[in-house]
Amino acid sequence: MNIFVINSGSSSIKYQLFKMPSTSPICVGLVERVGYGDASITHKTYIDGEEKSITQTMPIPDYETGLNEVNHLLTETGVVKDASEITAVGHRVVHGGERFTELTEITPDVKEELQQTFQLAPLHNPSAYKGIEVAETIFTNAKQLAVFDTAFHQTRPAKAYRFALPTTYYTEQHIRGYGFHGTSHKYVSEQAVAYLNKPDAKLISIHLGNGCSMAAIQNGQSLDTSMGFGPLSGLIMGTRTGDIDPTVIFYLVNELGYTIDQVSDLVNKQSGMLGLTGLSDMRDITKAIENGDENAKLAYDMYAYRIKKFIGSYAAVLNGLDAIIFTAGVGENDAQVRQLTCDDMQYLGIYIDRDKNYTRQPGIREINIPNSPVKILVVPTNEELEIANQCYERLK
Ligand SMILES: Nc1ncnc2c1ncn2[C@@H]1O[C@H](COP(=O)(O)OP(=O)(O)O)[C@@H](O)[C@H]1O
Ligand SMILES: CC(=O)OP(=O)(O)O
Ligand SMILES: [Mg+2]
């Protein structure tokens, strides 16, 4: 069964094609800088044991152009003969609200409901929706399925997800914490449980990509998570503030004359590491620190300090801790962030091994000292594979 997975971000499209039940992809790709003149597509194929890679730079003004180009590449590189060979398309949709708590087949009614979630995740849901609309016109024979970032966190107890607003704001307007990156937290926590061979392991999963969030997990269930109503609260991110005192927003509006759209743009797109350093990519920020940039150093310290605070908080929620997991672009690759986060955490039984931490290795790995009570794991995430697995389970 050919399952094509699309992970549409705010300006990128990640995709993978699986011939399920095999969990090795036939093709893996990334379209970057959608909406810009210098967009690029990297398309890798794994056919008959041979890896081939194509990179092309071209203007990709919109998702339609991007996905059509991906479709051409799928046929040109022999991944499929034509689009009709795709049985299902699995879409990552960030916000499912309270309505979508599991994998959902996309119907006209579902699409209408999805449009009502745009305001809740303005960087993500509109592009996922666009991805669905374009996929429907290309993969006309395929079932279209949606997997929601919010779904995994639906096991959280009410005391964790409710806000202390008057109750009707929850009962009538569904204003509550939802939590995101659930597909990734689920995938890496399952990998960690298998690695530790401990189904009831008390875990803290730390997903550090462009968006960043943490989750407290036990028995395969999310008990708490750092993102809330939208994917903005909690950790400091590439361009998003994470937690800030809401009084700042009243001040911006009432005293400095900002419109709400300007505030939204500020806290979602101009803040976080970008706002602090002028750079949003951790690789560039690391270089800036090496060149003596004090702002970049402070931003790094703030980034790690925020993670540290959530580790303390989730160790309390779990009443113990077996392992912490670092994952996603920054979590998997940035040893310095892991080091700063785990240094001086002996009180919680967290002892990082500097050499192991700075040694690169593929796959799941342990970076604590041998007798550290808490294991520190680097676990590569694979949201696309998790989505393909869920689609296959539904359709097989
Ligand atoms: N080798 C690396 N060292 C440090 N940071 C890295 C490295 N590779 C990727 N990153 C960081 O990972 C981020 C992207 O992470 P990713 O999980 O792909 O994010 P997203 O899915 O949210 O787009 C980049 O912006 C960059 O900051
Ligand atoms: C929910 C979210 O922040 O996703 P991403 O990290 O892909 O931006
Ligand atoms: Mg991501």
Side-chain angles (χ1 to χ4, degrees), residues 284-299:
D284 299 330
I285 299 170
T286 307
K287 276 188 210 129
I289 294 175
E290 283 163 10
N291 293 331
D293 184 331
E294 286 296 323
N295 264 339
K297 174 76 183 85
L298 173 64

Side-chain angles (χ1 to χ4, degrees), residues 7 92 94 124 149 180-181 207 209-212 227 231 237 240:
N7 180 346
R92 174 191 181 213
V94 159
H124 298 90
D149 265 38
F180 301 87
H181 295 132
H207 176 109
N210 281 314
C212 302
M227 281 178 164
M237 316 185 201
R240 290 170 248 170

Side-chain angles (χ1 to χ4, degrees), residues 66-289:
L67 273 182
N68 275 312
E69 201 51 46
V70 169
N71 181 39
H72 290 149
L73 283 169
L74 289 176
T75 48
E76 271 168 30
T77 58
V79 174
V80 288
K81 284 200 197 73
D82 63 69
S84 69
E85 287 186 11
I86 308 283
T87 315
V89 183
H91 297 267
R92 174 191 181 213
V93 181
V94 159
H95 212 312
E98 273 197 317
R99 163 72 177 79
F100 300 109
T101 57
E102 55 174 23
L103 175 137
T104 302
E105 186 170 342
I106 296 162
T107 61
D109 283 350
V110 167
K111 282 173 68 180
E112 209 168 298
E113 290 184 69
L114 279 179
Q115 289 184 49
Q116 289 158 23
T117 62
F118 284 6
Q119 274 312 313
L120 301 177
L123 294 186
H124 298 90
N125 273 24
S127 42
Y129 186 86
K130 191 76 216 167
I132 290 167
E133 293 228 293
V134 178
E136 284 174 336
T137 66
I138 298 176
F139 308 104
T140 46
N141 291 345
K143 275 204 188 317
Q144 310 282 334
L145 302 161
V147 172
F148 298 90
D149 265 38
T150 41
F152 178 63
H153 299 298
Q154 291 289 319
T155 52
R156 280 198 299 162
K159 66 182 175 189
Y161 70 70
R162 281 286 301 278
F163 296 142
L165 283 166
T167 303
T168 50
Y169 286 76
Y170 171 61
T171 51
E172 289 168 19
Q173 307 298 332
H174 311 288
I175 297 176
R176 50 162 283 182
Y178 288 98
F180 301 87
H181 295 132
T183 307
S184 174
H185 290 303
K186 177 175 186 292
Y187 179 81
V188 297
S189 60
E190 285 172 359
Q191 298 281 311
V193 160
Y195 176 86
L196 300 167
N197 194 17
K198 194 169 191 298
D200 62 349
K202 295 178 174 183
L203 303 169
I204 298 178
S205 169
I206 309 174
H207 176 109
L208 306 174
N210 281 314
C212 302
S213 74
M214 290 172 56
I217 298 165
Q218 189 178 17
N219 296 319
Q221 298 202 324
S222 171
L223 299 182
D224 209 344
T225 193
S226 61
M227 281 178 164
F229 185 57
L232 181 58
S233 59
L235 303 180
I236 296 173
M237 316 185 201
T239 64
R240 290 170 248 170
T241 51
D243 287 340
I244 57 163
D245 180 345
T247 320
V248 173
I249 291 171
F250 310 143
Y251 186 81
L252 289 168
V253 173
N254 293 333
E255 300 299 323
L256 303 184
Y258 277 56
T259 65
I260 287 299
D261 283 348
Q262 284 172 328
V263 175
S264 171
D265 192 68
L266 174 72
V267 299
N268 277 298
K269 297 187 181 168
Q270 298 176 41
S271 297
M273 297 307 270
L274 177 71
L276 291 167
T277 68
L279 305 162
S280 70
D281 192 306
M282 281 301 207
R283 287 162 287 198
D284 299 330
I285 299 170
T286 307
K287 276 188 210 129
I289 294 175

Side-chain angles (χ1 to χ4, degrees), residues 31-84:
V31 188
E32 283 178 291
R33 294 180 60 77
V34 175
Y36 298 87
D38 61 343
S40 70
I41 306 185
T42 308
H43 177 88
K44 290 187 178 148
T45 58
Y46 307 87
I47 301 170
D48 301 327
E50 199 184 344
E51 179 181 331
K52 288 188 185 156
S53 178
I54 299 176
T55 301
Q56 51 192 47
T57 306
M58 59 196 291
I60 299 182
D62 50 37
Y63 279 83
E64 190 158 8
T65 315
L67 273 182
N68 275 312
E69 201 51 46
V70 169
N71 181 39
H72 290 149
L73 283 169
L74 289 176
T75 48
E76 271 168 30
T77 58
V79 174
V80 288
K81 284 200 197 73
D82 63 69
S84 69

